[in-house]
Every structure is written in C-alpha cells, then in structure tokens.
Amino acid sequence: MDDPKQYVVKPYLVTRRLQPENQETPIQFIENDIIHNSLFYRRNHFSYPKLTYSNYFLPINGLVTTPLLLSMQNILQLPSKTLEVVLECSGNKRSLFEPKVFGEQWEKGAISQGVWKGVPLVTLLEFSGIMEGAKEVVVEGYDVGIRTDLDKSFSYTRSLPLEKALHPDTIIAYKFNNQPLSFKHGFPFRLIVPQWYGMASVKWIKQISVIGSHFTGPFQDTDYMYYPNQNNDNDAHPVSTMNVNTTIQKPLDMARLNSGKHVIKGIAWTGKGYIKKVEISTDNGSTWSNAKVREPISGYKWACWSYEWSAAEKGIYTIKSKATDSYGQTQPIKPYWNRKGYGYNAIDQIKVKIE
Amino acid sequence: MDDPKQYVVKPYLVTRRLQPENQETPIQFIENDIIHNSLFYRRNHFSYPKLTYSNYFLPINGLVTTPLLLSMQNILQLPSKTLEVVLECSGNKRSLFEPKVFGEQWEKGAISQGVWKGVPLVTLLEFSGIMEGAKEVVVEGYDVGIRTDLDKSFSYTRSLPLEKALHPDTIIAYKFNNQPLSFKHGFPFRLIVPQWYGMASVKWIKQISVIGSHFTGPFQDTDYMYYPNQNNDNDAHPVSTMNVNTTIQKPLDMARLNSGKHVIKGIAWTGKGYIKKVEISTDNGSTWSNAKVREPISGYKWACWSYEWSAAEKGIYTIKSKATDSYGQTQPIKPYWNRKGYGYNAIDQIKVKIE
C-alpha cells in the first residue's frame, strides 16, 4: 500500500459518445505544449475499422500519369518532414452556441497538438504525376459505415483542392510525438492538413485519387458545411481553414479564488497566419490588456499565453480572452451561428468569484 | 498492431479539479449497476494523506467507558456486514442551479454505488461503551490541510447524531466490490453512512470520538449547510439525507436521433425510504407515463428504470424524469436554490432532436 502510484492524480479524456468513440481533451488541465497520445481528442464517424496490415498497400490513382501501389515500406523510405501541428475539430465548442445546436456537445477540448512526422503528399503525387485537368485530391479512409440520414454505407472520404494537396506541409503522417502513429489516430497513415479543421486530416488512409471535378460525398457536401439558416440551405459554404481562437485554461470557470495575484493562462491559435496578440479583459470586456504570448510566431502550433492579474477586491469577475492573427482576423463577440455548429470562435470567457 | 486492446472504447472519470482531486463518474456511460472502482467519483477536500500503515491504530475515545486502540487486525476480525450503498456528493448537479453557484461545477456524475463490506460502527461502540450524556459521534479523517477562508489547518472531520451513528447499517468499510478498499477511497477504513450525502462517509479514518455536545467544525457548520439566501446566513440548516432524484442516462442530451423506437433509461434514488415510481414525460411535462423500475425496492442502491418511447414525428423533444419515493417525496420542478449549491434534485431533463 505504499505504492507511490496510488497518489498519482491525472486528467482523462472526456467522453461525449462511445459508439463511435468521441472523446475530448481535458484542455483546462493540460500543462504541456504537446498532448500525450492518450489525451489527444478522439473524433470518429464510424466504429474503428478492422485492418489487416500484412497486405497493406496504398493505391494512388485517378488523373495520374503512373498509378501507384505503395507498400508501407515504400512510403517509410521516402524523405520525411516533421511538423508541429494543432488539430481542431470543427465542432469544438459547439455546446456554446445559442440557440443550441444538436449533435456532439463538444466543450472546449476538441483540440490537440503534437509532432507529426510523415511524407509530403506532394512527394507521392510527383511520383505518380498529375494529369492535366486535375482539380482535387480525394483521400479515402478505411473507416466505413451506414449513414442513417442517407440509409446507405459510406467510407469517410474527403477531398482537398489541388493547391492545398500540393502544399509541402500537407503530409501523410506515420509518427506522432516520435512514436508510431497509434491505431486510434489512423495507423498506418493519416493525412495531416495544417491550418484546416480536423475533418480534413483523414485517418487510416485507404486510397488517394486525383479527380477532375468537385468531389461530392456526405462528409464533403452535407456535413462540414456552414448552414447559416435554421430552415434552409441558402448560403451554405464549406468548412476549411480554422478560425482565430483562444481558450482560457486557468482559472477554471466558476472557480472561487482568494483575493491576490492570479495567473490567467490559455492557448491561442489560428488557421492562416500566426497569432499576433492576445488581449485579456477582467472587467467583462470594458478594458483590455495584452497577455504575454510565449511561443514563437511561426509554424502550426498554438501559442501559449499568460496574464498576471491582481484581484484586489472581492466580487464576481467575468474574464475574457481575444486573439488577433497576422491577417488582422480577430474573435467576434458573438459566434457565427450555423445549423450544424461549426467553427465557433467567439471571444472566450469564464467567471470567477474572488472571496 | 493486431492487438485487440487497440479497439477498446471506454469512458473515463471527468475531471473537475486536480488539486485536490475531484473527478466525476461518466454516469451517462455506465452500463452496470455496480461502479468499477476506477470510475467511482472522487471528491477530496485536501491532497491525499501520506499514511504509513505499519503502525495504524484506530482510537475510540471521548465519552466512552473503555477507550480503545484497535489494530487493523482487531477490526478485520469483528463480525462484518455487506451492503450495497449509493454515495452521492451533496454538490452533485451543482452546475444546473440558476442563478449559477460558484465552486466545483459537478454535472450529473458525482454519484456512484457499489458493495461495501465492513464492521458496524455500533459494534465498536458497544465494545467501548457509551457514557451518559453522549450526543454525537465525531469521525476524523487523515486528510488535512489549510482552509484559506479560515487561514488555518483542519482535518476533514464530521459528526453524526447518536441515532445515525448507532444504526446497524452505518459501517466502517474496508472492502469495496469484494476488493480491499482502494487508497483513494479511504484505505484502510472508511465510514459508510447509507442514506446521507457523501460528505458523511469520512475516508481514511483516524479517530472516533463520542462527545456530549454539538460538534462544530468547518466541514460541519460552515460547509455542508443549506444557505437559502444569497447575502446572509438566515435559515441555514445542515445537509444530511439525500433527496429523491433521477438522472436520465440515455439518450444523451442534445442527441440527434432517427424517428422510431428509443429506450429512455436512467437511475433513481432517495435517502429515506425507497423509490416507489418513476415517471417520464416526452412532451416537456404535459403528460407523464410510468417507467419500468427494475430493481427490488429495498436496500440502499439506486433503482434502474427504462421507458420505451416511440418517436414517430420529427422535431425537438424535451424529455423529463421524476421519481417519487415511499415517503411520498417527489422531485420539484425548480430546485431548492442555496448559496453553496447542495442537494439539487429538480426533475431531470434532456432535449433530443428526431430527424
């Protein structure tokens, strides 16, 4: 009974659904920059695929000059790239929309980051060659199942416009945090699309096809579309790049604190560009001060920020955080409401009571 | 990579705080009647005590005719009792109060149950004898720390009125689910007080004292008191017996479902008495039907209930559950608001969308 393990206190994934497995990162309790694989959020559309790896081959076909069938060994031998990338589910913070949106009630933890190692997709496409007229690259996953809304079986398949597919940082990843990619996160190969919401980063890659038209599939044109209206599909447009955003990690929402100094800390991230500043308000948005932003302003990681707050007087405080990125994009006061609840990025806020 | 473990999908504790450790049971995802030790909610007031067990002795003192110093062996050799008991933190569902209450934002999972084995407290007190004038039995835990509101160190200590202390089902537990009580849940000995909220079930018992007056300590007379007013302590009264209550486990709140048959299921429990009926409304409380209540109506367990719902028409539905116990107590529409947020037991509700 004097086992030191008995004293270990740690956070866990927060379950949103078990079939398929959807669990979020306990983001408020994350101390490190890099999320351990066991706490990386899990977002699945179907139950896990049953894969046999002994005869795994990756076909690259469609509008290519030389169709390829690559073995795992073939891919692992190609020149690789290592990138720190944040992945955020486009449904992150869905539970905060008003009016409420049905579906997975993600709080603030459908976001994680880590170090991905893999082969640029463009390297593979240079081997296969791309024919004239190519428009999109379709990536199919091994995960498959019935969509009850369409009463038909589909695999999880998404396309990228040629420009994004050929970007040298769009990679076919096989390592995460210097370990082989885990099964639940897409072993043997997962697409990693920096700057885009996580739905683009297809797991368990089964096939890559170059096509000459716009790909239409339920995960491309039905889901992962912004529908700004409750009762019709007018002005629908696709979800792609992440919005500029912040999450306050500490203090905890609704915490009771003593008067005195407190560190307010959190993370900030954006799709295109980098985080230029993070502002904090401790008076419900009346006045704002700059937080200290710790991370180098490059790459695809989130920035960690902190702010020293002297809470002298007792009372209830509303604390807000707001990031601005290098393209001048900033967080709105009200989120962009849409029927499926994607891309929430309103100014973050918590309340605390100083006692 | 063909390890079957990789496919295992399971829920975890939901972290509310790490220092001290406060984590709730993922109650919506619990399939069994008995909660596995790893998913039993954890509620601590201080960091874990550092105990050395080699010289553990339990003193029983105060207004007793023969003060005792019992070894672990002494206690384990006494006649034992095995009881299935639900423990609910009095702060369970605190996050649902309106106006909001500061402090740990427990959702619906600060509740668990299992099989406790131990020695009735009355057995020990029969050995020690109780002197005339005895009023309460004070149980002190090894957990200790500074209370910042009082700027002083306290151990976690609670008292029971003599009548409850002498009840034959108030036990000093040392086994849970047929395993030795785990360290985090109070090894070597934890008081289990059936019918009362969990704050009474003191962990890591250090000392038991019989006293002739009302015990006053911050965990007796400051915390775990109902304060019905925001700005004064008028009408304060202690938290003790659990209120009659229900929690809907399925469907999940804000779920999107197909039209057709759905099983609505959940749990119901009460302090005094047993669950007599559980009613379900699928039309926001306009009409109610009886759920099937599965458990035998005795003992200290929660009752599992289910209700078959035919959801023919598309739309948004508010589903409610309401229990009534054998004393005729039922759940209120509005909870009894109190400043520290204890004893929430309003009619439970979720929303779903039939598509």
Side-chain angles (χ1 to χ4, degrees):
Chain A
M1 281 309 293
D2 285 328
D3 174 10
K5 264 188 297 184
Q6 69 192 352
Y7 297 101
V8 170
V9 176
K10 58 179 187 183
Y12 301 94
L13 290 169
V14 184
T15 313
R16 296 283 156 235
R17 191 140 65 124
L18 291 179
Q19 291 169 326
E21 182 173 19
N22 286 321
Q23 307 215 46
E24 67 181 84
T25 297
I27 193 72
Q28 281 83 4
F29 302 100
I30 295 295
E31 300 281 354
N32 302 317
D33 249 27
I34 297 298
I35 307 284
H36 188 275
N37 188 62
S38 64
L39 292 183
F40 202 99
Y41 79 94
R42 299 174 187 167
R43 198 284 180 245
N44 291 283
H45 298 81
F46 300 117
S47 42
Y48 287 107
K50 302 273 185 218
L51 279 183
T52 45
Y53 302 102
S54 47
N55 56 353
Y56 180 90
F57 286 96
L58 174 60
I60 300 186
N61 53 34
L63 294 182
V64 295
T65 44
T66 316
L68 301 175
L69 197 60
L70 301 167
S71 70
M72 283 168 69
Q73 246 354 74
N74 292 151
I75 299 170
L76 299 180
Q77 281 162 2
L78 293 171
S80 69
K81 185 164 228 175
T82 299
L83 297 168
E84 292 183 298
V85 179
V86 53
L87 289 188
E88 182 190 12
C89 174
S90 56
N92 192 26
K93 304 192 182 187
R94 177 179 291 137
S95 61
L96 303 178
F97 276 107
E98 287 291 345
K100 290 271 187 198
V101 171
F102 286 81
E104 242 68 350
Q105 294 300 295
W106 297 109
E107 295 182 5
K108 300 178 184 178
I111 183 169
S112 296
Q113 68 178 8
V115 185
W116 306 92
K117 178 182 178 181
V119 178
L121 176 55
V122 65
T123 304
L124 304 184
L125 294 172
E126 278 167 358
F127 278 109
S128 68
I130 294 180
M131 286 167 64
E132 215 167 302
K135 268 191 81 178
E136 295 186 354
V137 177
V138 179
V139 180
E140 180 178 5
Y142 269 102
D143 41 340
V144 58
I146 303 281
R147 281 203 46 140
T148 53
D149 56 340
L150 301 168
D151 218 4
K152 217 181 121 182
S153 180
F154 288 90
S155 61
Y156 186 77
T157 306
R158 293 268 318 171
S159 78
L160 288 174
L162 212 54
E163 186 194 354
K164 193 70 185 171
L166 299 182
H167 190 287
D169 292 342
T170 296
I171 61 173
I172 307 286
Y174 52 81
K175 280 201 166 188
F176 177 69
N177 290 352
N178 220 16
Q179 298 291 320
L181 187 60
S182 68
F183 167 71
K184 287 198 172 179
H185 291 289
F187 182 92
F189 298 109
R190 171 180 200 166
L191 190 65
I192 294 293
V193 184
Q195 299 181 325
W196 280 39
Y197 280 111
M199 77 280 149
S201 295
V202 177
K203 299 189 279 271
W204 310 289
I205 301 177
K206 183 181 182 183
Q207 182 171 216
I208 296 172
S209 309
V210 180
I211 63 172
S213 56
H214 173 62
F215 173 72
T216 56
F219 299 104
Q220 191 82 24
D221 280 354
T222 305
D223 295 343
Y224 302 118
M225 296 286 288
Y226 293 108
Y227 299 101
N229 303 302
Q230 182 66 270
N231 298 312
N232 63 61
D233 290 358
N234 297 345
D235 304 317
H237 53 286
V239 174
S240 59
T241 310
M242 289 186 291
N243 294 323
V244 61
N245 217 333
T246 50
T247 286
I248 300 167
Q249 294 175 295
K250 277 186 187 164
L252 294 174
D253 191 23
M254 301 301 289
R256 296 160 57 198
L257 304 172
N258 295 316
S259 59
K261 284 200 172 165
H262 295 281
V263 174
I264 303 169
K265 61 163 277 207
I267 58 174
W269 67 99
T270 190
K272 231 174 103 187
Y274 56 85
I275 293 298
K276 199 126 192 193
K277 69 173 170 182
V278 175
E279 293 163 283
I280 303 300
S281 172
T282 57
D283 56 8
N284 197 20
S286 299
T287 62
W288 295 85
S289 307
N290 283 333
K292 197 184 297 173
V293 180
R294 210 181 55 202
E295 302 310 309
I297 47 178
S298 68
Y300 304 115
K301 281 174 71 176
W302 63 49
C304 295
W305 54 262
S306 63
Y307 176 77
E308 267 218 11
W309 177 39
S310 291
E313 279 179 50
K314 293 181 182 188
I316 292 170
Y317 293 83
T318 299
I319 299 173
K320 292 175 186 268
S321 66
K322 175 173 67 173
T324 304
D325 70 20
S326 53
Y327 282 83
Q329 300 292 315
T330 188
Q331 297 178 249
I333 294 171
K334 287 201 171 182
Y336 174 69
W337 190 92
N338 60 98
R339 197 171 74 229
K340 292 207 173 208
Y342 297 124
Y344 185 103
N345 80 324
I347 289 171
D348 200 34
Q349 78 166 54
I350 60 161
K351 282 188 182 176
V352 299
K353 188 177 185 185
I354 301 290
E355 298 185 324
Chain B
M1 280 309 293
D2 285 326
D3 175 7
K5 265 189 296 186
Q6 67 191 352
Y7 298 101
V8 170
V9 175
K10 57 179 186 183
Y12 301 94
L13 289 169
V14 184
T15 313
R16 295 284 156 233
R17 192 141 65 123
L18 291 179
Q19 290 168 328
E21 182 174 18
N22 286 321
Q23 308 215 47
E24 67 182 82
T25 297
I27 194 72
Q28 281 83 3
F29 302 101
I30 295 295
E31 300 281 354
N32 301 317
D33 249 26
I34 297 299
I35 307 283
H36 188 274
N37 187 62
S38 65
L39 292 183
F40 202 99
Y41 80 94
R42 299 175 186 165
R43 198 282 181 248
N44 291 285
H45 298 82
F46 301 116
S47 42
Y48 287 106
K50 302 273 184 220
L51 279 183
T52 45
Y53 302 102
S54 47
N55 56 353
Y56 179 90
F57 287 94
L58 174 60
I60 300 186
N61 54 34
L63 293 183
V64 294
T65 44
T66 315
L68 301 175
L69 198 59
L70 301 168
S71 70
M72 283 169 69
Q73 247 353 78
N74 292 152
I75 298 170
L76 299 181
Q77 281 161 1
L78 292 172
S80 70
K81 184 164 227 173
T82 300
L83 296 168
E84 292 183 300
V85 180
V86 52
L87 290 188
E88 182 190 11
C89 175
S90 56
N92 192 26
K93 304 193 181 187
R94 177 179 290 136
S95 61
L96 303 178
F97 276 107
E98 287 291 345
K100 290 271 188 199
V101 171
F102 286 81
E104 242 68 350
Q105 294 299 294
W106 298 109
E107 295 182 5
K108 299 178 184 178
I111 182 168
S112 296
Q113 68 178 8
V115 185
W116 306 92
K117 179 182 178 180
V119 177
L121 176 56
V122 65
T123 303
L124 304 182
L125 294 172
E126 278 166 359
F127 278 109
S128 69
I130 295 179
M131 287 169 64
E132 215 167 304
K135 267 191 82 178
E136 295 186 355
V137 177
V138 179
V139 181
E140 180 179 5
Y142 269 102
D143 40 339
V144 57
I146 304 281
R147 285 209 36 148
T148 52
D149 56 341
L150 302 168
D151 219 2
K152 216 180 121 183
S153 181
F154 289 90
S155 60
Y156 186 76
T157 306
R158 293 267 318 172
S159 77
L160 289 174
L162 212 53
E163 186 195 353
K164 192 69 184 170
L166 300 181
H167 190 286
D169 292 342
T170 296
I171 62 173
I172 308 286
Y174 52 81
K175 281 201 166 187
F176 176 70
N177 290 352
N178 219 16
Q179 299 290 319
L181 187 62
S182 68
F183 167 71
K184 287 198 173 180
H185 291 289
F187 182 91
F189 298 109
R190 171 181 199 165
L191 190 65
I192 295 292
V193 184
Q195 299 182 324
W196 280 40
Y197 281 112
M199 77 280 149
S201 295
V202 176
K203 298 189 281 271
W204 309 289
I205 301 177
K206 183 181 182 183
Q207 183 171 215
I208 295 171
S209 308
V210 180
I211 63 172
S213 56
H214 173 62
F215 172 73
T216 56
F219 298 104
Q220 190 82 25
D221 280 354
T222 305
D223 296 343
Y224 302 117
M225 296 286 288
Y226 293 108
Y227 299 101
N229 302 301
Q230 183 66 270
N231 297 313
N232 63 62
D233 291 357
N234 297 346
D235 304 316
H237 54 287
V239 174
S240 59
T241 310
M242 290 186 290
N243 294 323
V244 61
N245 217 333
T246 50
T247 286
I248 299 168
Q249 294 174 295
K250 276 183 187 165
L252 295 173
D253 192 23
M254 300 302 288
R256 297 160 57 199
L257 303 172
N258 296 316
S259 59
K261 283 200 173 166
H262 294 281
V263 174
I264 303 169
K265 59 163 277 206
I267 56 174
W269 67 99
T270 191
K272 233 173 101 187
Y274 56 86
I275 294 297
K276 199 124 191 194
K277 68 173 172 184
V278 175
E279 293 163 283
I280 303 300
S281 172
T282 57
D283 56 8
N284 198 20
S286 299
T287 62
W288 294 85
S289 307
N290 283 334
K292 198 183 296 174
V293 180
R294 210 181 55 204
E295 302 310 310
I297 48 179
S298 68
Y300 304 115
K301 281 173 73 177
W302 62 48
C304 295
W305 53 262
S306 63
Y307 177 77
E308 266 217 13
W309 177 39
S310 291
E313 279 179 50
K314 294 182 182 187
I316 291 170
Y317 292 83
T318 299
I319 299 172
K320 292 177 186 265
S321 66
K322 176 173 66 172
T324 304
D325 69 20
S326 52
Y327 283 83
Q329 301 292 314
T330 188
Q331 296 179 249
I333 293 171
K334 286 200 172 182
Y336 175 70
W337 189 92
N338 60 97
R339 196 171 75 229
K340 292 205 173 208
Y342 298 124
Y344 185 102
N345 79 325
I347 289 171
D348 200 34
Q349 78 167 54
I350 60 162
K351 282 187 182 178
V352 299
K353 188 177 186 185
I354 301 290
E355 298 185 324

